[in-house]
Amino acid sequence: MLTTHPFDDDHLHEECGIFGASGSEGAAALVALGLHALQHRGQEAAGITSFDGRDFHTHRAMGHVAGNFDRDDVIRALAGDIACGHVRYSTTGETALRNVQPLYAELQSGGFAIAHNGNISNAMRLRRELVRRGSIFQSTSDTETIIHLVATSQYRTLLDKFIDALKQVEGAYALIVMTPDGMIACRDPLGIRPLVMGKLGDTYIFASETVALDVVGATFERSVEPGELVIVQNGELRSIRPFDQVAARPCIFEWVYFSRPDSIVDDHSIYSVRKNIGAQLAIEAPVEADLVIPVPDSGVPAAIGYAQESGIPFELGIIRSHYVGRTFIQPGDKVRHLGVKLKHNANRALIQGKKIVLIDDSIVRGTTSLKIVQMMREAGAAEVHMRIASPPTRHSCFYGVDTPERAKLLAAKLDLGGMTDFIHADSLAFVSIDGLYKALGEAQRAEGRPKYCDACFTGDYPTTLTDHDESSAIDQLAMLDERVN
């Protein structure tokens, strides 16, 4: 069986979304609303854990928040005035209920629930050592590594054990943790993954994006700072910074694609930045055309920016049906092609005979761009020019984003001419890396110490990649062994 997501299956998929509320009667209902607002960050599974002062309660399920957490009996069973939740798109671990978060464990100090956005890039090495010492893992998620590090730490207090665990992991994490003593929210020292804090009356709220605060009526207070632990106990908030201070490197793709356009990340409006990227793209890669057309929905803000800067009219040349979910079809080119049109269809009357500029956020494998260009040709477009609101994606992400291995990335295999031929476009251009930084208010990308993590474009990873490096070394030894034998 195949799922037809014709314009979604070839994007860099969102990593995860987390939401926590402390100090609200019926906190789980608030968390469920917040998770609805973060559904774009993960559509594979969702979970909520609550604490009622004595017991922890958890409900986890495959699928969307709607249908799993809009039932009164489910929310009533999640009693308590403190709760945290998670929406998942798996980047590590199999697609199975045992990997759905929040993960929960009974430690010596009591219950411990954790929701994680990001990826621990040395989880496999840590896991091997923990198993050697006697740990028994219940999931294949990298997040469970943190639980075992806390459980086996020799420090006395739970907070010190948690800090000890975090000092042993590398990679990216935004975490919400619940214990019998309260809630902890934190980000990795580089701040690769986002996390914000808000208030709703006396309730403290933590979320991956500000849009989730908006939905529940909370006031945005500030971002949780890179390397900061924010602790809420008995309605009181305090902050500690147990790590050595380093220059932050938040993920630049939050502004390109991941975050909702109505969110604000590090004082930047996502919508405004995406329009700026489109305008910069028009400056760097102009083309004579009749229409600017976005690839829905992620290409819309950049297309507006491109149209305004270039003076070429913006039009909706691809119409998306929002009433078609997953469409299961049997394999077969003819039926599959018809299935594509259930969700996206060309606005033929608008496109026929026109020179068009298509705006999309990224090219990963290139298969989606090929489909879009073909759709425009079949609708009668005279010329099809593709403009991409990010630099070429040439490297895999190891910080919580589902990226294909590098050998499958189109920009890692082909030069610009080769990519243009592959998607059958009349021309193709990407915004430059300096142009992307300009859209975020920077003069250019600083060499040596860039302000953002842009490793998917540049290969400049801000942390060590222990598991990947060890795996690569093993693969190279295996290849050498095959040649010798």
Side-chain angles (χ1 to χ4, degrees), residues 424-436:
H424 298 164
D426 290 285
S427 72
L428 171 66
F430 298 79
V431 74
S432 67
I433 189 68
D434 282 343
L436 183 55

Side-chain angles (χ1 to χ4, degrees), residues 57-132:
H57 310 277
T58 296
H59 183 79
R60 301 182 297 164
M62 305 304 295
H64 290 186
V65 178
N68 286 313
F69 292 97
D70 54 2
R71 293 164 38 198
D72 289 341
D73 59 327
V74 171
I75 296 299
R76 281 198 304 269
L78 294 167
D81 64 358
I82 177 173
C84 67
H86 186 273
V87 287
R88 181 175 195 257
Y89 186 94
S90 61
T91 57
T92 64
E94 64 184 332
T95 302
L97 190 60
R98 63 176 176 161
N99 287 328
V100 179
Q101 298 186 32
L103 297 182
Y104 176 79
E106 286 285 347
L107 305 184
Q108 185 178 14
S109 56
F112 185 92
I114 183 169
H116 172 207
N117 172 23
N119 193 50
I120 306 303
S121 57
N122 64 337
M124 292 307 298
R125 174 186 277 190
L126 292 169
R127 185 185 183 107
R128 286 194 298 269
E129 176 60 23
L130 286 161
V131 169
R132 189 188 65 79

Side-chain angles (χ1 to χ4, degrees), residues 342-362:
L342 284 174
K343 194 159 188 177
H344 296 85
N345 194 38
N347 191 348
R348 183 180 293 271
L350 182 74
I351 291 168
Q352 193 158 16
K354 300 294 198 309
K355 300 176 183 178
I356 64 172
V357 185
L358 285 170
I359 308 292
D360 204 357
D361 59 86
S362 61

Side-chain angles (χ1 to χ4, degrees), residues 131-288:
V131 169
R132 189 188 65 79
R133 287 158 44 190
S135 291
I136 300 173
F137 280 74
Q138 302 298 314
S139 76
T140 57
S141 169
D142 61 332
T143 309
E144 191 180 355
T145 304
I146 298 174
I147 296 176
H148 287 277
L149 290 173
V150 172
T152 58
S153 173
Q154 298 303 303
Y155 282 83
R156 187 177 62 84
T157 70
L158 180 61
L159 180 58
D160 287 337
K161 288 174 182 285
F162 182 54
I163 293 169
D164 179 41
L166 294 183
K167 287 184 175 180
Q168 296 178 64
V169 303
E170 65 184 38
Y173 56 81
L175 302 171
I176 298 175
V177 169
M178 285 168 42
T179 76
D181 292 329
M183 178 173 283
I184 305 171
C186 64
R187 290 171 76 190
D188 66 80
L190 291 169
I192 297 174
R193 301 265 70 90
L195 190 62
V196 298
M197 179 173 68
K199 285 201 77 176
L200 180 61
D202 294 328
T203 303
Y204 287 99
I205 294 175
F206 301 94
S208 294
E209 293 183 37
T210 59
V211 67
L213 304 180
D214 297 338
V215 166
V216 301
T219 302
F220 170 68
E221 295 288 306
R222 63 178 178 87
S223 293
V224 176
E225 296 297 324
E228 180 186 21
L229 274 69
V230 179
I231 303 155
V232 183
Q233 289 181 305
N234 301 318
E236 299 295 324
L237 183 144
R238 64 189 177 102
S239 167
I240 60 173
R241 300 172 186 270
F243 307 104
D244 294 335
Q245 189 171 359
V246 294
R249 292 279 299 275
C251 173
I252 203 167
F253 224 89
E254 289 289 344
W255 288 276
V256 173
Y257 178 67
F258 294 142
S259 295
R260 263 179 48 165
D262 45 344
S263 281
I264 296 171
V265 177
D266 292 340
D267 298 325
H268 291 293
S269 159
I270 297 295
Y271 180 78
S272 296
V273 168
R274 289 178 187 165
K275 280 184 63 179
N276 292 344
I277 296 171
Q280 184 64 32
L281 188 54
I283 294 169
E284 294 182 358
V287 62
E288 291 187 9

